[in-house]
Amino acid sequence: FTKSAKCTAMPIDYSKFDNIGDSDEEPQPSGVAGVGAANRIGRNGREVLEAGGLEEKFTMLPGNHAPGAGYPGHPGHRDSPEMTALAAELERLAGPGGPGGKGMATQEPPKPGEPQRVCMKSDGRKKIHTTFPDGGEMVEEYDDKTDVLMVRKVRKPTKVGKEGDWVFEVGQATEAAFDPYSDVMRASTSNPIFLRKDTPEHFQWRIRNLPYPADVYSVLVDHEKQEIVVKTSNKKYYKRIQVPDLLRYDLKFQDELLSWKHQHSTLIISYRKPPKIVAGEQEALRDAEKSAMKM
């Protein structure tokens, strides 16, 4: 046997939805008429602490959070004498380098076609980052006390526009630790190590792990290619040294400025800096002192 059930729909009273509006805001109760935005009442019957408009939301309130704070005429308003005095005191504490400081030196905008420099002080060093018009970059690090150049590295964009690898002109890149599980081979510690370590008066290069006697070495200037040539008579070592500093200042090598010595299995090659380069380095350091950011 089959039973058939007849379902009857319940009538819906739509009159209860007549008072629903498009706004999400709760209507103000009649008992709080005339109360300011600071005393707005929420749906739970409690006072709403949120300000009403943008002008009220972005005003500064005093520490006691007194009623009416942040509105014109109140001591906590930004145009009140108290807030004006507080702003003046903050500018005074910021010093000449702060915003609005009267003694702040105005920096001229960089001229088109000239390198742009950003200078800062960090970890006891003066660091200068230079960006050239062709997209090249140069980072220099000077000792904060002795003004000795510790690191200089440069890089140029590739032909496809990507950033190139850093090339160290002064100093040495940090070598990664040898991992016996992933690395197959490592360079021998007895191989010659070449690095540049300048002094305030000289360009200086050091070649370590050269145990041969001093009369074996020959250090000469190749004026045609503008390079320093280092070689040994026993044909154990050969090296050509470029000096980008001379190219930047359009200077040529001079034989009388070159000197070298050998001691403790290390060949030390020195080239006295021309006065033009010394003056340029001092000027760069002065600019770093003026516009340096302390970190």
Side-chain angles (χ1 to χ4, degrees):
F1 296 94
T2 59
K3 295 182 179 181
S4 60
K6 185 176 181 180
C7 298
T8 303
M10 296 294 295
I12 301 176
D13 185 9
Y14 290 97
S15 62
K16 64 177 68 176
F17 301 105
D18 294 342
N19 295 329
I20 297 179
D22 296 333
S23 175
D24 295 335
E25 297 181 358
E26 288 288 332
Q28 290 286 348
S30 58
V32 294
V35 180
N39 296 327
R40 295 171 56 197
I41 304 301
R43 66 178 64 187
N44 56 359
R46 297 183 179 181
E47 180 181 349
V48 178
L49 301 180
E50 225 177 272
L54 291 178
E55 179 66 21
E56 301 172 5
K57 290 182 179 180
F58 292 99
T59 52
M60 184 177 294
L61 301 179
N64 56 4
H65 301 284
Y71 297 95
H74 192 274
H77 191 259
R78 63 178 182 272
D79 295 331
S80 63
E82 290 82 358
M83 297 306 299
T84 304
L86 176 60
E89 182 67 14
L90 291 176
E91 289 185 1
R92 186 187 68 82
L93 294 176
K102 297 181 180 179
M104 181 175 57
T106 57
Q107 297 182 357
E108 298 182 358
K111 298 180 181 179
E114 291 187 357
Q116 301 180 15
R117 288 187 175 92
V118 177
C119 310
M120 62 178 292
K121 289 184 178 181
S122 176
D123 301 329
R125 293 189 178 186
K126 303 172 186 176
K127 302 180 180 180
I128 306 175
H129 185 278
T130 306
T131 304
F132 298 97
D134 60 354
E137 299 175 79
M138 180 172 65
V139 176
E140 297 172 300
E141 298 183 10
Y142 292 85
D143 186 87
D144 196 8
K145 296 181 179 179
T146 61
D147 291 341
V148 174
L149 180 62
M150 307 298 294
V151 175
R152 176 188 288 153
K153 56 183 180 179
V154 296
R155 70 176 177 184
K156 296 182 179 180
T158 61
K159 295 182 179 179
V160 296
K162 295 184 179 180
E163 293 182 346
D165 297 330
W166 287 107
V167 178
F168 280 77
E169 294 183 0
V170 181
Q172 196 173 19
T174 303
E175 296 183 0
F178 178 76
D179 187 358
Y181 299 99
S182 60
D183 297 337
V184 180
M185 294 184 298
R186 65 175 301 179
S188 174
T189 56
S190 62
N191 288 345
I193 300 175
F194 175 84
L195 62 90
R196 176 176 165 181
K197 188 176 180 180
D198 289 357
T199 68
E201 297 84 14
H202 293 85
F203 302 125
Q204 195 169 93
W205 301 266
R206 295 172 181 264
I207 309 176
R208 299 169 181 168
N209 293 338
L210 291 179
Y212 316 114
D215 56 358
V216 172
Y217 303 99
S218 173
V219 182
L220 301 172
V221 174
D222 186 347
H223 292 278
E224 181 179 355
K225 296 184 179 181
Q226 288 297 300
E227 295 175 342
I228 299 176
V229 180
V230 182
K231 57 184 179 180
T232 59
S233 59
N234 57 6
K235 299 182 180 180
K236 294 293 185 179
Y237 188 81
Y238 182 86
K239 179 74 175 179
R240 283 183 170 269
I241 303 174
Q242 297 179 345
V243 186
D245 310 69
L246 298 179
L247 297 177
R248 295 189 186 102
Y249 287 88
D250 195 20
L251 298 175
K252 303 296 182 181
F253 274 104
Q254 300 180 24
D255 293 330
E256 60 273 13
L257 301 181
L258 179 65
S259 62
W260 63 274
K261 64 179 179 180
H262 183 269
Q263 61 182 13
H264 307 300
S265 299
T266 301
L267 182 64
I268 303 174
I269 305 170
S270 302
Y271 187 88
R272 182 177 295 275
K273 296 180 181 179
K276 187 176 181 180
I277 294 180
V278 175
E281 291 180 351
Q282 294 298 324
E283 182 180 358
L285 286 173
R286 286 194 296 267
D287 294 341
E289 288 287 348
K290 293 179 181 178
S291 59
M293 298 180 295
K294 296 182 179 180
M295 299 294 289

